[in-house]
Structure formats: structure tokens, C-alpha cells
Amino acid sequence: MSTPARSSRRNIGELVARLKFERADYDLITEGRFDRMVTRWFLKSKGKMRFSVYEVDDFEVPGATGEGGCRERLCLLADVVYSQLPDPDIALICIIDRDIEVVIPGAAPNPFVLFTDGCDMQSLFFEEDILERYIELYVQPPGAVRVSELVAAI
């Protein structure tokens, strides 16, 4: 995963200003590039166009030690935004994998944090309908793989 150079990263102050003054749109921030791609695809497939989806590496997050990786940075980002904008109706969602409790024990609840159902976005692909859609998008020629057989094999 390539990380944007420091100078190209947005700072949290810009994000706070956007959230404070541009309340019509929602900002979603994910842990990584794959999560961002899946989230964008899902929102687009549902006709949800008033969302901007970022990955945490798009932001400069002061105070991150790097020990907790992207999860730590995303939790810190959510905490900083919440400390500056404690309104839970602010249009920000930070999507964090469920395994965060293992990585950062005792992570404080934050209204901007939404946990995935599984330990990562990839685990969603074990849902037959999601796997079927993924195969429709990326496997050529269409119909080359029977999803029911693939799921049974897994």
C-alpha cells in the first residue's frame, strides 16, 4: 500500500472545517485502500452519491505512534474530530474493522466510529450475494464461475 507523501495529506483542521460548514455531504473514512474501494462501490450501487470516501492515509494524524497501524490512526482521527465537534449529528463515519478491540484495548466509544461486522472487509466476500456481485464485476467471461459452487468449495 502506498502512502501519500506528507505534503499531499489533508490535515484534520480541513476535515473539521468541511464537516462544520458543508453539512449536506457525508464523509466516510476507512482503514485502507481496499476498504475505501468496497465502500465506494457499495454506496454507488445503492445510488448514494452524497458521500466522499477516504482512507485514513489521506490525512495527517498527529500523535499516531504507528504501533496500531491504520486502525490507531483512524481512532485518533475520530477522537480529534469529536473533541472539536462533539455534535453526534456531524456527517462523519469512520469505518473500523471489528478486531479493533484486540489492537487497541479499551478503545473509547466515539459516535463517529462504525465497526464492521467481521474482522475485515474481505470477510464480507463470504456472503454469497456479495461474492456473486464481485465475480460479476471482475471475472471474465461472465458466467465462467458458479458462485454456489465456489461458496460450497470454500
Side-chain angles (χ1 to χ4, degrees):
M1 168 174 65
S2 65
T3 301
R6 275 185 174 252
S7 62
S8 67
R9 288 182 174 170
R10 299 170 184 254
N11 68 52
I12 294 178
E14 293 171 12
L15 176 63
V16 168
R18 175 180 160 86
L19 293 168
K20 187 173 183 178
F21 297 111
E22 297 178 24
R23 288 185 168 240
D25 295 331
Y26 282 84
D27 286 337
L28 284 85
I29 305 173
T30 65
E31 288 183 46
R33 180 163 291 142
F34 180 81
D35 295 356
R36 182 186 71 199
M37 291 179 353
V38 169
T39 303
R40 277 187 181 159
W41 166 79
F42 177 78
L43 292 170
K44 188 175 180 181
S45 74
K46 296 297 181 188
K48 307 293 184 186
M49 305 308 286
R50 300 202 54 117
F51 288 86
S52 296
V53 184
Y54 306 95
E55 61 187 274
V56 71
D57 281 343
D58 293 335
F59 296 91
E60 184 64 41
V61 182
T65 64
E67 292 177 19
C70 293
R71 292 175 185 96
E72 175 199 32
R73 295 182 67 240
L74 192 47
C75 284
L76 283 171
L77 183 145
D79 287 345
V80 169
V81 172
Y82 186 62
S83 72
Q84 295 179 29
L85 295 172
D87 179 358
D89 293 328
I90 293 294
L92 173 67
I93 301 171
C94 297
I95 302 172
I96 298 176
D97 294 337
R98 175 62 60 188
D99 62 344
I100 189 66
E101 304 86 56
V102 175
V103 177
I104 304 174
N110 183 309
F112 300 140
V113 172
L114 176 69
F115 291 102
T116 60
D117 287 339
C119 64
D120 56 29
M121 283 280 195
Q122 290 86 334
S123 66
L124 294 175
F125 286 107
F126 289 101
E127 296 288 331
E128 189 167 344
D129 56 334
I130 294 172
L131 186 58
E132 185 172 345
R133 180 67 179 145
Y134 181 79
I135 288 172
E136 285 176 13
L137 290 171
Y138 296 104
V139 174
Q140 297 297 324
V145 175
R146 286 198 144 121
V147 175
S148 58
E149 292 174 4
L150 183 60
V151 170
I154 294 172

